[in-house]
Amino acid sequence: MNSMPMKVFLAVTTISLIISLLFFMYSMPCTYQERFDGKCKYDRKNGIHSGKAMYSSTLKRIKEFNKELFVQVPRKFLKEYKNPCWYNNSDHFICLPYFYIVGFPKCGTTDIWDKIIQHPHVVATKFKEYQWWARRYERRGRPPSETMMGGDKYQPSSLDWYTSSIGESTFTTIHDINRDINNDINHDMKHDMKHDMKHDINHDINHDINHDINHDMKHDINHDINHDINHEGHDIHPAIFGDASMTTGWYLPPSWLSDFEIDGELVATTADLIYALTPSAKIIFMLRDPIERLYSGYIFSRRGSQQKSAEDFHNMVEKVVKCLHQCMRVHTTRYCAYHTDICQTTGIIIQ
């Protein structure tokens, strides 16, 4: 065991292991957060160097092509709300979603939405899906009369259309629920804590301590309790609302692709835009077994039609898969996945 060859073998093995670990750590694909924080050195899959400088240029590009949003949405939001809320120039209280439910057709987004909005602190918006984040680019230039679900006096790609479609009643509910809950909690906590503390003080303070010390201690503790509870109550903000537009997770219109593709590589998606505007947004991504989801989507698309069969489904999927393989011989997987117009002549979504 102490022979020279064994020592050399152990040394070489240890060095090789360390080199392998370092290579693996520095060659893993980058996440968006790692790119933004400058922690990612190399993206092995796409073969591109990534870092804070590169992703900063992407954020700059996002802001350049979405100037109207960054003018209206502040960098900091009201601290007493979980949703990103603020008062606009007209002193109107408005918010953007706290969470997003995204996914693909027939993946259960409606089911989880119906369950989440049953929670007493989740405000159910008028609609489950607004399709605004993913489709606002292609709605540019359209007149207000072409809006889908309200806000007819606003241009459909504008933030005003989105917030007016969510509805003033949603924002009012968020505001009022938080105010009422804060008031109730403050009142209950003050009453209970004062009662408990006074009881403990009276019980624990030695009877030999004079009356003045007893009085001063009670006064100071009561003052601290009031100060702490008021401060803590200010930070309680349980009421939230969300957006369950499944296209937010996968659809990008051709106009977005033309603005955010550099040398055939897509550098930003809707996720980057949401992150740039509201970094604390929560994303719930719904996935399902791809074959089951695809067949369920096929049956749904053929509802009311007699032209559906296992053979028809097989032929359609085979055609799309062949198209995607041809695309990936020329472009990256990411390119083919987001260019949904390339292989979607069959009417089913497979990307």
Side-chain angles (χ1 to χ4, degrees):
M1 289 295 293
N2 295 324
S3 63
M4 183 60 68
M6 180 59 69
K7 291 182 179 180
V8 172
F9 173 76
L10 291 174
V12 171
T13 302
T14 303
I15 293 172
S16 299
L17 178 60
I18 293 173
I19 292 174
S20 299
L21 288 172
L22 289 173
F23 177 80
F24 178 76
M25 289 170 60
Y26 281 95
S27 62
M28 288 191 299
C30 307
T31 64
Y32 288 117
Q33 187 61 48
E34 287 171 338
R35 285 175 176 157
F36 184 75
D37 293 339
K39 296 178 180 179
C40 191
K41 303 301 181 183
Y42 185 73
D43 189 328
R44 178 176 55 187
K45 183 177 181 180
N46 294 316
I48 56 175
H49 285 278
S50 303
K52 189 169 184 178
M54 178 180 176
Y55 197 61
S56 294
S57 67
T58 299
L59 289 175
K60 183 178 180 181
R61 192 177 187 88
I62 290 172
K63 293 177 181 180
E64 178 185 350
F65 286 102
N66 297 274
K67 291 178 181 177
E68 69 280 9
L69 297 184
F70 289 90
V71 168
Q72 292 179 275
V73 179
R75 292 178 60 87
K76 295 184 179 180
F77 305 104
L78 299 174
K79 293 182 178 180
E80 58 266 41
Y81 300 95
K82 283 188 174 181
N83 280 78
C85 300
W86 71 97
Y87 289 96
N88 64 12
N89 294 334
S90 302
D91 204 32
H92 287 153
F93 178 77
I94 55 178
C95 307
L96 289 175
Y98 173 74
F99 68 91
Y100 297 87
I101 300 175
V102 301
F104 293 88
K106 318 310 294 178
C107 279
T109 55
T110 300
D111 182 63
I112 194 171
W113 169 261
D114 290 339
K115 288 178 170 60
I116 287 177
I117 61 176
Q118 292 178 28
H119 192 283
H121 290 165
V122 178
V123 179
T125 53
K126 187 176 181 181
F127 298 98
K128 171 203 167 200
E129 302 184 43
Y130 293 92
Q131 312 292 350
W132 183 76
W133 288 97
R135 298 188 180 275
R136 59 176 294 273
Y137 239 64
E138 64 185 9
R139 294 178 183 174
R140 286 177 168 176
R142 293 185 184 180
S145 59
E146 293 189 30
T147 56
M148 295 171 56
M149 51 186 64
D152 289 342
K153 64 180 180 179
Y154 299 110
Q155 202 281 327
S157 70
S158 66
L159 180 66
D160 290 332
W161 182 91
Y162 186 45
T163 56
S164 67
S165 298
I166 292 173
E168 187 70 27
S169 61
T170 299
F171 305 143
T172 301
T173 304
I174 289 288
H175 186 273
D176 290 348
I177 285 180
N178 281 293
R179 180 193 61 194
D180 294 342
I181 289 176
N182 283 341
N183 289 340
D184 292 343
I185 291 176
N186 282 339
H187 179 270
D188 293 342
M189 288 180 67
K190 283 181 182 179
H191 180 270
D192 294 342
M193 291 182 70
K194 282 182 180 179
H195 179 270
D196 293 341
M197 291 296 290
K198 286 179 179 178
H199 178 271
D200 292 341
I201 291 170
N202 288 326
H203 180 269
D204 295 338
I205 293 179
N206 194 299
H207 294 290
D208 294 334
I209 298 177
N210 63 52
H211 177 268
D212 291 337
I213 295 178
N214 190 16
H215 178 270
D216 291 342
M217 288 180 68
K218 286 184 178 180
H219 178 270
D220 292 342
I221 291 175
N222 283 337
H223 178 270
D224 292 341
I225 291 172
N226 287 329
H227 178 271
D228 292 343
I229 293 176
N230 285 330
H231 179 72
E232 183 179 356
H234 179 74
D235 293 331
I236 297 174
H237 38 77
I240 59 173
F241 75 88
D243 181 336
S245 304
M246 61 181 178
T247 54
T248 304
W250 58 268
Y251 178 76
L252 293 174
S255 52
W256 177 281
L257 296 173
S258 64
D259 284 343
F260 290 96
E261 278 184 348
I262 300 176
D263 297 328
E265 182 64 34
L266 183 63
V267 297
T269 67
T270 305
D272 296 276
L273 175 60
I274 293 176
Y275 175 73
L277 287 168
T278 56
S280 297
K282 305 296 185 288
I283 311 295
I284 302 172
F285 209 114
M286 298 294 291
L287 297 173
R288 182 182 176 184
D289 179 281
I291 304 301
E292 292 182 1
R293 186 209 68 79
L294 197 59
Y295 187 67
S296 178
Y298 166 77
I299 296 298
F300 183 78
S301 67
R302 290 292 191 271
R303 64 191 184 283
S305 172
Q306 300 298 321
Q307 298 180 347
K308 56 176 179 283
S309 65
E311 182 180 3
D312 181 52
F313 171 71
H314 173 79
N315 291 335
M316 291 174 65
V317 172
E318 190 175 51
K319 181 178 179 181
V320 177
V321 170
K322 183 178 180 180
C323 176
L324 286 172
H325 279 301
Q326 291 174 343
C327 178
M328 288 186 287
R329 290 193 184 101
V330 181
H331 304 285
T332 63
T333 302
R334 185 178 175 89
Y335 179 97
C336 298
Y338 279 104
H339 280 265
T340 54
D341 56 320
I342 295 177
C343 299
Q344 294 306 324
T345 57
T346 60
I348 60 173
I349 300 173
I350 197 171
Q351 274 109 315

